[in-house]
Amino acid sequence: MNAAQLSTDNKNVIRPHWINRFLEGWSIYKKSILGKIGMVLLAVFALMAISSFIPPKINPMYEPMSGVDPYISKATGPSMRHWLGTDFIGRDLFSQLLVGARIAFLVGISAAFMSVFLGTAIGMIAGYAGKFTDTLLMRLADIIMVMPSLLVLLMLSALFSKLSIWFIVLFIALFRWPGVSRVIRSQTLSLKHRPFIEAARVAGASHLRIIFRHIMPNVLPLSFLYMTFQVTSAIIIEAALAFLGFGDPSTVSWGMMLQWVWKTGHMFKAPYWLLPPGICISLITLSFYMLGRAMDEVLDPRLRKEGENY
Amino acid sequence: MVNNSEAILKLHYIFKKYKTRGTFFGPQSKDVIALNSISLKILKGEIFGLVGESGSGKTTVGRLIVKLEKPEKGEIYLDGQEILSLRGDQLKGFRRRVQMIFQDPYQSLNPQLSVLDAVSEPLIIHKIGNNHTIEEITRKTISSVGLSPPDDFINRYPHQLSGGQRQRVAIARAMILKPEIVVADEPTSMLDASISAQIFNILLQMREASNITFLFITHSLAAARYLCDRIAVIYKGNLMEIGPAEEILHNPKHPYTQALIDALPKLDLSSSKKYYNSLRKEERIVKENAGCPFFSRCNVSDETKCGQNIPPMKELGKSHSAACFYA
Amino acid sequence: MPLLEVKDLNIHYHVQGGILKAVEGISFSLEKGRSLGFVGESGCGKTTLGMALMRLLPSNGFISDGQIIFDGEDIRKKNEEEMRKVRWQKISMIFQAAMNALNPVQRVGNQIVEAITTHSPLLKKDEAFKMVKNLFQLVGIPGDRIKDYPHQYSGGMKQRAVIAMALACKPKLIIADEPTTALDVIVQDQILQEIKGLQEEFQISIIFISHDISVVANVSHEIGIMYAGELVEYGNTEEVFESPRHPYTKALLSSYPTLNGEKNMLTPIPGETPNLMNPQTGCRFFDRCPNAISSCKINPAEWVTISPTHKVLCYQCGRDCGI
């Protein structure tokens, strides 16, 4: 018996609604090849991020930022001692790559979470309140959406000279919420006039209650979906910033690694240095994207209808 | 059932219009009059039927009464108290007294809430009872609408219920606060006939048990006859005829009511002939109608009289009145 | 020879978790110029039946068994190309939400002209236009509205236009699936009279499909009551209405509020329609039937002939019938 059957057939089994929903969603998700590939890739990256703590423990020269191989002071290719080789001052590339995965997750997920949180809250408020509030918030969203974010960041970094990774995360979140808020707003607008919202109004529910009890649970799945796409773009933005030299100089990220390759003129001389971070950036964004696509299939009611009719 | 003729709800010259938004290429926006000076009295404990076609404004009346919308002009009184200006706590008190059952049970329940959560929500909003009594009251209400044993249903979600069961849940939600007035907006139009009959009987039982006043909004005269004590017929936002249910059905005076009765498909095949023939074969082409709203389709009407003047409500005795010069 | 003969038709759907038996063992025949009404509640398979006759089932539905003989030919044996010639020209259909079937950005008249010319390419455009004008007159749309767009029409007029479209190729059979469900009573009545008149005038056979028993009662010569994918009672309309035999038919009739006569308490049918994924072996109405006996649960119901024009699918009625 598959999960979908479990959730609809066993009416007597008392189980929280969200578990049923999750199992139902999972059974649809499982059928998507894209989703499976994305999951496997993500698992690999997660493993990389977790194991990034190990190399420095083995030998302090594997410290990704400060550890330098005492015998090597130039870029060298892969060897038993340095699986991916070393960079121009003898730092281990493999341990840098592992830390990069950690930073990518950190930046991607926290920036995406923040932007989706902001976008969902603002979208719901704008959609539900309507009128002046709606106009104000949506014009603000428009302004931010058309602002060239890289340019603004370049200016900011020129002003403050050094940007910490958390500032970049916050910055990405502040620049990425308008897209989410637009989607959530339109969803809220369509929910607002549904009879079950009106029924809550007739029952005397306050606006807060309607927003949190009735609208939010119905838009959250969409927010989650958008979060996966936001992760993708957050990682790309961070990598781009770092590559251009506006990243956090005290953090090793894949973008930062690429910047070092380029800055030190190893672009075409050291493929063992250039390729791994480049491939990793592509693959991690791809895997989040595939995750999102598979979740899209789960959420798309047209696909769910087939099983729901009977 | 109606032992005293005390009015619980009064509508006083209600006027409501909607603005239609002009399409990009189409006509400019214009006002559509949804209700044109409607005055009604609903008596305590009765089931009052409001019958009309789609777009007649019958649903608007219900939505105005539960304060989902506001009229442009006119007043609504509940037990002598004006309701349109209610705010804050007074509004919350009003919400306890007036409830609504919506048309589409597939849309009127939040898909994310279990039956227990949905039905008990009004209690939580109005802070009635503690955790224990809330569940107790909810169970009782759920079984009173025919969902028994309640344990089989309280943990289900709307998608695990049939249309009829969903509508029962919606009724339970409306009834749990023990309201004085319930507006039932075509509660069975999405349901099969045999299920509709179940719902009708539940409404009748509810009235029997707790003397709730119902405003039953419907397009079907037959359903109105079955449920209602009094019926008002509404057409294009105008009240056409009002009176006791049997009187309206067996002695209709307004040509529109007569046309409705003629048009209703009958199960009794022997009497399928048209009786009143009050509908014109070909519609009159009327540019700007200054007179009776039914003028263009009315067989009885007079060009000058009905085309120029709006017929006033005429008392025809026994609380039966019709808005027709020829009634 | 009847125009349409359906023998032991079974229609199944592939759905998540198995096969849904939407229609089982339906047989009937329809003579030229007669009309037949199918009544049943939602999910009883009536729409599926109509779609199957046109071979327009959704992709997960299929006819698993049975014969559909139309005009001496087996519909099931035709390929898609041949079917296209049958549809609209010989069998046409008025859909459930037909008013939405009109393309909003094309003039109503042009849409029907196009429908005609694609099916008879030899026809000149102005001839087709003349045909449409006649058709509109027939269904009661003023000739000057022919160049209007659908949004300028009222609901009733759109439905009339769709009926005109269905008549355009002079079909032998029209399948009208809930043709008036979205309309107001007065307009519904006018449209039904219109269809009835046209049918008598052109000797078209019509299959009405509706959830509203009173609609079907007024327009069809024969009537079939459907329940949970099966035909449970079939016969001459007057006979069925005057002396309904199947407990479901009786229950259905007594759950309708009426305008005339005594104001009786309505007796709703208790319970819900059965799950068609794995229906019980015996009578499908068993759970809700007031006079079921234990053997009804095991033995499938049997057809009992009441008169040459009236039969009923009920095991009990075959025994004593409770007349």
Side-chain angles (χ1 to χ4, degrees):
Chain A
M1 202 185 251
N2 63 36
Q5 267 177 317
L6 262 177
S7 62
T8 48
D9 286 354
N10 296 6
K11 281 159 189 160
N12 298 325
V13 177
I14 298 162
R15 215 181 346 205
H17 185 38
W18 65 270
I19 293 186
N20 282 334
R21 294 261 309 196
F22 179 79
L23 289 176
E24 213 171 300
W26 178 243
S27 75
I28 301 166
Y29 186 95
K30 273 193 307 192
K31 288 180 197 149
S32 158
I33 298 167
L34 273 185
K36 275 189 227 163
I37 299 175
M39 279 291 216
V40 170
L41 277 175
L42 275 184
V44 171
F45 282 116
L47 203 70
M48 279 172 69
I50 292 165
S51 55
S52 68
F53 296 99
I54 301 170
K57 294 254 157 48
I58 298 169
N59 189 329
M61 75 167 178
Y62 291 136
E63 197 72 54
M65 198 67 188
S66 51
V68 182
D69 191 321
Y71 306 106
I72 300 171
S73 57
K74 61 175 176 54
T76 54
S79 63
M80 277 311 285
R81 196 173 157 90
H82 301 284
W83 289 357
L84 286 179
T86 61
D87 71 356
F88 64 111
I89 48 172
R91 291 182 299 190
D92 183 53
L93 285 176
F94 183 67
S95 51
Q96 283 189 352
L97 200 73
L98 293 185
V99 172
R102 198 170 80 212
I103 298 299
F105 271 110
L106 185 95
V107 170
I109 290 175
S110 51
F113 181 79
M114 275 155 68
S115 70
V116 166
F117 181 83
L118 265 177
T120 305
I122 291 172
M124 283 198 307
I125 292 167
Y128 185 75
K131 292 182 188 144
F132 179 70
T133 322
D134 183 26
T135 315
L136 190 80
L137 289 173
M138 284 305 111
R139 288 305 81 78
L140 183 68
D142 290 343
I143 290 167
I144 293 177
M145 233 194 289
V146 297
M147 236 193 253
S149 49
L150 268 179
L151 208 66
V152 175
L153 199 74
L154 297 192
M155 275 153 59
L156 283 177
S157 70
L159 269 177
F160 299 106
S161 72
K162 184 183 161 204
L163 299 175
S164 90
I165 193 81
W166 289 110
F167 182 88
I168 292 168
V169 165
L170 190 74
F171 177 83
I172 294 171
L174 284 178
F175 268 82
R176 296 295 306 179
W177 64 264
V180 184
S181 76
R182 283 232 157 253
V183 175
I184 297 298
R185 172 182 169 269
S186 68
Q187 181 83 355
T188 308
L189 279 180
S190 83
L191 283 168
K192 194 166 90 174
H193 294 292
R194 293 268 288 279
F196 70 82
I197 303 287
E198 294 189 331
R201 269 175 72 193
V202 171
S206 61
H207 294 308
L208 276 181
R209 187 178 178 84
I210 290 174
I211 289 181
F212 284 110
R213 187 87 174 136
H214 293 282
I215 291 179
M216 203 169 76
N218 284 294
V219 299
L220 272 189
L222 205 64
S223 299
F224 274 116
L225 169 67
Y226 267 81
M227 208 174 124
T228 59
F229 294 128
Q230 292 289 337
V231 171
T232 307
S233 60
I235 291 173
I236 290 177
I237 292 177
E238 193 276 333
L241 283 175
F243 177 70
L244 290 177
F246 300 98
D248 182 348
S250 61
T251 327
V252 185
S253 72
W254 291 332
M256 203 55 103
M257 287 172 76
L258 288 177
Q259 200 223 348
W260 288 327
V261 187
W262 179 53
K263 269 260 176 86
T264 56
H266 287 81
M267 202 67 155
F268 301 104
K269 282 187 249 161
Y272 53 88
W273 189 1
L274 173 72
L275 288 179
I279 290 169
C280 278
I281 291 173
S282 317
L283 281 185
I284 199 167
T285 52
L286 184 71
S287 60
F288 271 111
Y289 177 74
M290 291 195 288
L291 194 78
R293 280 288 303 278
M295 270 168 68
D296 207 3
E297 274 176 39
V298 174
L299 293 178
D300 194 331
R302 276 169 297 176
L303 282 162
R304 222 189 310 161
K305 255 200 181 114
E306 223 169 289
E308 220 180 32
N309 270 343
Y310 288 99
Chain B
M1 199 61 214
V2 185
N3 32 32
N4 51 0
S5 52
E6 190 193 330
I8 185 166
L9 193 79
K10 269 192 268 185
L11 271 67
H12 219 69
Y13 299 107
I14 296 292
F15 183 85
K16 171 81 189 168
K17 65 180 182 190
Y18 290 108
K19 268 201 171 68
T20 59
R21 208 190 288 181
T23 50
F24 191 68
F25 296 109
Q28 291 291 302
S29 74
K30 59 176 182 195
D31 291 341
V32 174
I33 295 170
L35 294 174
N36 191 5
S37 278
I38 296 270
S39 293
L40 279 179
K41 268 184 199 160
I42 297 177
L43 308 180
K44 205 163 199 153
E46 75 172 339
I47 300 184
F48 186 86
L50 192 58
V51 180
E53 299 181 335
S54 54
S56 63
K58 58 185 191 301
T59 299
T60 308
V61 173
R63 293 172 64 86
L64 289 172
I65 290 172
V66 298
K67 276 181 69 87
L68 277 172
E69 268 165 63
K70 274 189 194 144
E72 263 74 40
K73 281 181 220 156
E75 294 112 46
I76 301 175
Y77 296 94
L78 175 69
D79 264 345
Q81 188 193 20
E82 219 285 320
I83 65 158
L84 295 174
S85 55
L86 293 181
R87 292 275 179 284
D89 284 346
Q90 278 184 315
L91 178 61
K92 215 167 169 184
F94 167 80
R95 296 280 190 217
R96 265 186 83 163
R97 300 172 67 189
V98 181
Q99 282 295 313
M100 184 160 183
I101 300 164
F102 290 84
Q103 178 175 11
D104 184 351
Y106 293 88
Q107 295 276 327
S108 68
L109 296 177
N110 188 339
Q112 310 282 348
L113 294 188
S114 69
V115 171
L116 178 66
D117 289 339
V119 175
S120 64
E121 187 179 25
L123 292 178
I124 295 163
I125 290 169
H126 292 277
K127 302 193 176 69
I128 299 167
N130 54 35
N131 280 349
H132 181 70
T133 51
I134 281 177
E135 198 167 327
E136 197 59 35
I137 299 170
T138 308
R139 267 170 217 273
K140 226 183 252 169
T141 314
I142 289 173
S143 58
S144 77
V145 294
L147 295 177
S148 57
D151 287 321
D152 282 4
F153 293 96
I154 54 171
N155 288 314
R156 289 207 210 168
Y157 285 84
H159 70 96
Q160 296 167 326
L161 300 172
S162 70
Q165 287 169 338
R166 285 181 207 214
Q167 196 59 290
R168 285 158 193 257
V169 172
I171 292 173
R173 177 181 57 194
M175 294 298 169
I176 198 161
L177 290 171
K178 301 200 166 48
E180 290 161 49
I181 300 181
V182 173
V183 175
D185 182 10
E186 301 218 42
T188 63
S189 67
M190 313 295 273
L191 305 173
D192 281 323
S194 66
I195 308 294
S196 302
Q198 292 174 4
I199 301 290
F200 290 157
N201 288 348
I202 287 171
L203 295 182
L204 285 174
Q205 279 164 23
M206 290 280 167
R207 198 265 296 260
E208 208 68 47
S210 39
N211 204 29
I212 297 171
T213 309
F214 279 100
L215 172 64
F216 179 68
I217 296 168
T218 181
H219 65 273
S220 155
L221 269 173
R225 178 198 182 214
Y226 179 65
L227 277 176
C228 303
D229 303 304
R230 288 197 305 140
I231 291 177
V233 179
I234 185 172
Y235 178 68
K236 288 189 180 169
N238 291 270
L239 211 56
M240 305 308 260
E241 189 163 7
I242 181 168
E246 290 298 318
E247 185 78 6
I248 294 280
L249 284 156
H250 295 128
N251 189 17
K253 293 295 185 196
H254 199 286
Y256 175 64
T257 319
Q258 294 171 348
L260 275 183
I261 290 173
D262 267 350
L264 213 70
K266 291 166 194 69
L267 275 179
D268 185 6
L269 295 175
S270 53
S271 69
S272 60
K273 240 178 60 195
K274 302 267 170 280
Y275 188 79
Y276 299 105
N277 283 313
S278 59
L279 198 67
R280 276 180 77 87
K281 286 271 154 349
E282 267 176 44
E283 267 185 53
R284 282 200 184 94
I285 292 160
V286 183
K287 278 275 146 58
E288 297 241 326
N289 193 359
C292 177
F294 192 54
F295 171 64
S296 62
R297 296 163 85 186
C298 183
N299 211 6
V300 192
S301 61
D302 178 86
E303 283 281 355
T304 49
K305 202 171 179 183
C306 301
Q308 305 298 326
N309 312 300
I310 294 174
M313 266 288 171
K314 208 153 90 180
E315 283 278 347
L316 302 164
K318 274 207 291 174
S319 69
H320 184 176
S321 9
C324 180
F325 292 119
Y326 295 93
Chain C
M1 193 184 66
L3 178 73
L4 175 73
E5 196 161 17
V6 172
K7 282 184 204 154
D8 205 24
L9 191 66
N10 287 282
I11 303 163
H12 294 175
Y13 284 105
H14 285 296
V15 292
Q16 201 184 14
I19 281 177
L20 181 102
K21 297 172 184 111
V23 165
E24 284 234 296
I26 285 192
S27 308
F28 63 88
S29 64
L30 180 64
E31 300 287 338
K32 187 175 187 302
R34 302 283 286 180
S35 63
L36 165 62
F38 283 110
V39 183
E41 295 178 290
S42 50
C44 73
K46 54 189 192 299
T47 297
T48 298
L49 177 65
M51 289 299 197
L53 296 180
M54 292 272 276
R55 282 256 313 269
L56 282 174
L57 286 172
S59 58
N60 62 336
F62 60 98
I63 299 171
S64 61
D65 198 14
Q67 275 185 315
I68 305 171
I69 312 284
F70 174 75
D71 218 5
E73 293 175 89
D74 192 344
I75 292 276
R76 280 190 72 191
K77 293 205 177 98
K78 287 186 181 295
N79 62 27
E80 218 14 66
E81 190 56 42
E82 289 167 326
M83 254 339 270
R84 218 166 291 154
K85 282 180 190 143
V86 174
R87 283 183 212 135
W88 290 114
Q89 298 191 46
K90 288 182 178 165
I91 310 178
S92 67
M93 195 157 188
I94 304 170
F95 288 102
Q96 214 153 345
M99 331 185 324
N100 305 333
L102 294 169
N103 182 346
V105 294
Q106 249 190 45
R107 294 175 199 278
V108 179
N110 290 357
Q111 292 186 43
I112 301 173
V113 166
E114 209 179 286
I116 295 174
T117 45
T118 43
H119 284 286
S120 33
L122 294 176
L123 212 64
K124 282 196 192 102
K125 207 150 195 177
D126 51 327
E127 280 175 58
F129 225 84
K130 234 179 250 165
M131 268 177 72
V132 174
K133 229 171 193 164
N134 287 335
L135 281 169
F136 271 29
Q137 213 163 23
L138 223 52
V139 296
I141 303 177
D144 55 330
R145 303 296 299 271
I146 195 166
K147 283 196 170 154
D148 281 0
Y149 287 96
H151 70 86
Q152 291 164 295
Y153 276 33
S154 68
M157 274 175 50
K158 280 187 216 167
Q159 198 67 14
R160 282 167 208 261
V162 170
I163 292 169
M165 210 164 182
L167 287 170
C169 297
K170 298 194 179 66
K172 292 180 174 169
L173 172 67
I174 294 181
I175 299 167
D177 185 358
E178 308 267 11
T180 59
T181 300
L183 303 174
D184 290 319
V185 264
I186 292 180
V187 182
Q188 161 171 296
D189 183 55
Q190 289 169 337
I191 301 267
L192 289 178
Q193 298 310 324
E194 208 81 68
I195 297 178
K196 213 167 150 183
L198 290 169
Q199 185 211 3
E200 275 157 23
E201 197 177 332
F202 297 104
Q203 286 295 299
I204 307 168
S205 303
I206 297 190
I207 292 179
F208 279 99
I209 294 169
S210 177
H211 70 284
D212 191 340
I213 200 164
S214 53
V215 164
V216 174
N218 283 284
V219 289
S220 47
H221 300 112
E222 274 108 38
I223 189 168
I225 313 283
M226 288 183 73
Y227 180 76
E230 287 181 330
L231 202 55
V232 293
E233 187 157 3
Y234 180 81
N236 182 285
T237 305
E238 270 122 62
E239 272 184 75
V240 172
F241 278 96
E242 260 147 47
S243 56
R245 289 300 169 85
H246 198 280
Y248 177 67
T249 316
K250 287 181 193 170
L252 202 58
L253 283 169
S254 67
S255 63
Y256 268 88
T258 54
L259 271 193
N260 300 314
E262 270 301 290
K263 187 169 144 182
N264 293 322
M265 202 57 186
L266 295 183
T267 38
I269 309 173
E272 307 269 338
T273 41
N275 180 357
L276 294 181
M277 292 286 272
N278 33 21
Q280 60 220 39
T281 46
C283 174
R284 292 188 175 182
F285 193 56
F286 174 77
D287 291 336
R288 307 171 78 184
C289 182
N291 28 346
I293 53 170
S294 55
S295 61
C296 291
K297 190 175 187 173
I298 309 149
N299 303 331
E302 288 159 14
W303 278 106
V304 177
T305 309
I306 311 267
S307 78
T309 51
H310 188 184
K311 53 181 185 162
V312 59
L313 182 74
C314 180
Y315 186 71
Q316 271 275 70
C317 289
R319 292 278 166 88
D320 48 48
C321 214
I323 304 168

